[in-house]
Amino acid sequence: MSAYLDHAATTPIDPSVWDAMRPYLEGRHGNASSLHAAGREARAAVETAREQVAQALGVAPLDVLFTSGGTEADNLAVKGLAWAGRDAGQGAHLVTTAIEHHAVLESAEWLAARQGFAVTVVPVERDGLVDPERLLDAVRPDTVVVSVMAANNEIGTVQPLEVIGPALADRGVAFHTDAVQAFGRSRLDLAAWGIGALALSAHKFNGPKGVGVLVLGRDLACEQVLHGGGQERGVRSGTLNTAGIVGCGAAAELTATTRADEVPRLRALRDRLLDGLAAIDGVSLNGSRERRLPHNAHVAIAGCDGEALLLALDAAGVAASTGSACQSGAAEPSHVLRAIGAPTEQVAHLRFTCGRTTTQADVDLAASACTDAVKRLRAVGGGALA
Ligand SMILES: *Cc1c(COP(=O)(O)O)cnc(C)c1O
């Protein structure tokens, strides 16, 4: 038996998505920019995918740009909007939060270190939520971009964009959100929340890796990062990845049309897992319980080492993730765990994320394997290798 509970890292391609992609890998090889029949066939497939993504998000197809993934979409939005804002004389200040994905955080930090911008990184509260007042207080007359993720990839907290967005509406800033984890799992209302730019990644919603989306309102000026053939409204050059884009469109449609059933199903599985884990002494939930993605369980388990526990779970066939990245042999707590002030000495932090293919048997296996592994590790003093 094995259980894949790492859908926040990546998801399997849905069979229906693969069926849609396949013809574009096997024979339909046209370049979507070519004028002949093969090119027009590819162009039509790309435009269908653009409509599927637009429909899933409630935006106009013209606002949808395809990229190579979430990382590129975030980089393009943060850098491109910042450069364009500065060129227009609006200022050179950005606001973001301490728990953003590295694609946003490091883009902002690079703009500050190398490009003469100023950046305010707003902390989050102990529950992993940004306080809208604190965020809005950080916005200055010279702010050009505000970037706040819709939901966090580690602890699953859902940020109050419905408060932040409307309050930014008349502040003259571009509002970007990384919605890579939120799409299909929590509500997104781009129009009501004043979201001008939004990033998605297909492989986080049962599409292929290497393709993403930047929704970019046509009223927003955005400097390009990749120069070349001028594809995608001149904002993102490069021959279009037809098969990947077709897969992204099919996956977006699947996600949007099944969301009403999928969200409660995921929540029930996640809650069953949390109930199972609650039987272990010294377990607590990281991040808000209420404002949380339905598929995410992120727990702190006292008295054992995170990596040792992860490896024990792996040996039992359970794929999860830990909130520490192994850097030069030392397990460092992630920037998200540090931002919420989570204790890290002899505390394991584990993320389990459910998805479209997750069953009750998977979460039951994870809970029992975790219970056994914690018992064994605690018996040997936590299991740290040091
Ligand atoms: C996975 C992820 C990304 C990066 O997307 P890629 O397509 O893997 O580059 C960005 N932001 C969040 C929140 C993510 O979870």
Side-chain angles (χ1 to χ4, degrees):
M1 276 247 300
S2 70
Y4 179 80
L5 291 171
D6 203 11
H7 287 81
T10 195
T11 60
I13 294 185
D14 189 82
S16 67
V17 171
W18 170 236
D19 286 345
M21 293 173 67
R22 194 172 176 146
Y24 298 91
L25 290 163
E26 275 184 346
R28 300 186 192 171
H29 67 277
N31 182 326
S33 298
S34 300
L35 294 178
H36 47 60
R40 292 197 306 273
E41 180 179 63
R43 172 57 63 183
V46 166
E47 296 315 321
T48 298
R50 204 184 303 281
E51 279 162 28
Q52 289 170 312
V53 172
Q55 173 94 34
L57 288 169
V59 300
L62 270 171
D63 290 347
V64 173
L65 307 178
F66 290 107
T67 69
S68 67
T71 298
E72 190 195 333
D74 281 337
N75 271 262
L76 177 54
V78 173
K79 295 174 185 171
L81 293 170
W83 287 326
R86 182 168 66 179
D87 286 353
Q90 288 166 0
H93 176 246
L94 293 88
V95 175
T96 189
T97 83
I99 63 167
E100 297 301 308
H101 190 271
H102 286 298
V104 166
L105 215 44
E106 295 194 12
S107 291
E109 284 166 0
W110 178 80
L111 288 170
R114 304 286 291 276
Q115 300 272 310
F117 285 82
V119 174
T120 304
V121 178
V122 179
V124 297
E125 308 304 311
R126 185 74 183 80
D127 62 2
L129 295 173
V130 65
D131 175 352
E133 299 244 325
R134 271 177 108 160
L135 186 107
L136 294 166
D137 282 349
V139 178
R140 318 191 308 211
D142 63 338
T143 304
V144 287
V145 180
V146 174
S147 182
V148 181
M149 71 198 324
N152 183 261
N153 45 303
E154 279 186 47
I155 56 177
T157 47
V158 176
Q159 298 298 352
L161 300 192
E162 74 283 6
V163 180
I164 295 167
L168 287 173
D170 47 7
R171 304 286 292 268
V173 302
F175 184 32
H176 167 255
T177 188
D178 175 334
V180 170
Q181 293 290 334
F183 177 61
R185 303 185 179 112
S186 71
R187 203 164 79 85
L188 291 170
D189 191 335
L190 284 85
W193 302 350
I195 296 168
L198 175 144
L200 299 183
S201 172
H203 78 94
K204 303 292 177 74
F205 55 90
N206 304 99
K209 292 169 185 60
V211 55
V213 167
L214 178 63
V215 174
L216 183 69
R218 275 156 290 155
D219 54 327
L220 285 179
C222 185
E223 188 55 55
Q224 47 196 315
V225 173
L226 302 180
H227 297 86
Q231 289 89 345
E232 299 298 87
R233 271 167 48 200
V235 180
R236 199 282 182 177
S237 286
T239 299
L240 295 176
N241 167 9
T242 314
I245 289 168
V246 165
C248 181
E253 183 174 287
L254 174 72
T255 301
T257 54
T258 55
R259 190 185 143 210
D261 296 327
E262 215 24 30
V263 165
R265 194 186 72 84
L266 291 172
R267 186 176 290 120
L269 287 168
R270 187 273 314 276
D271 287 346
R272 185 180 171 96
L273 173 59
L274 283 177
D275 286 347
L277 296 174
I280 305 171
D281 276 348
V283 171
S284 59
L285 187 69
N286 287 317
S288 166
R289 174 95 196 212
E290 295 74 40
R291 292 196 63 104
R292 181 179 205 91
L293 293 176
H295 73 320
N296 176 297
H298 196 293
V299 292
I301 305 178
C304 48
D305 176 74
E307 259 170 63
L309 186 50
L310 196 74
L311 293 176
L313 286 174
D314 184 39
V318 177
S321 151
T322 178
S324 54
C326 195
Q327 288 156 351
S328 63
E332 291 288 332
S334 73
H335 68 294
V336 176
L337 289 176
R338 274 184 278 132
I340 62 169
T344 50
E345 274 299 300
Q346 270 297 77
V347 179
H349 293 276
L350 282 187
R351 178 187 72 186
F352 298 93
T353 42
C354 305
R356 187 170 294 279
T357 49
T358 306
T359 63
Q360 217 171 71
D362 291 334
V363 296
D364 290 350
L365 174 66
S368 68
C370 196
T371 307
D372 292 348
V374 169
K375 248 184 235 152
R376 273 184 287 118
L377 290 174
R378 282 180 179 161
V380 297
L385 294 173

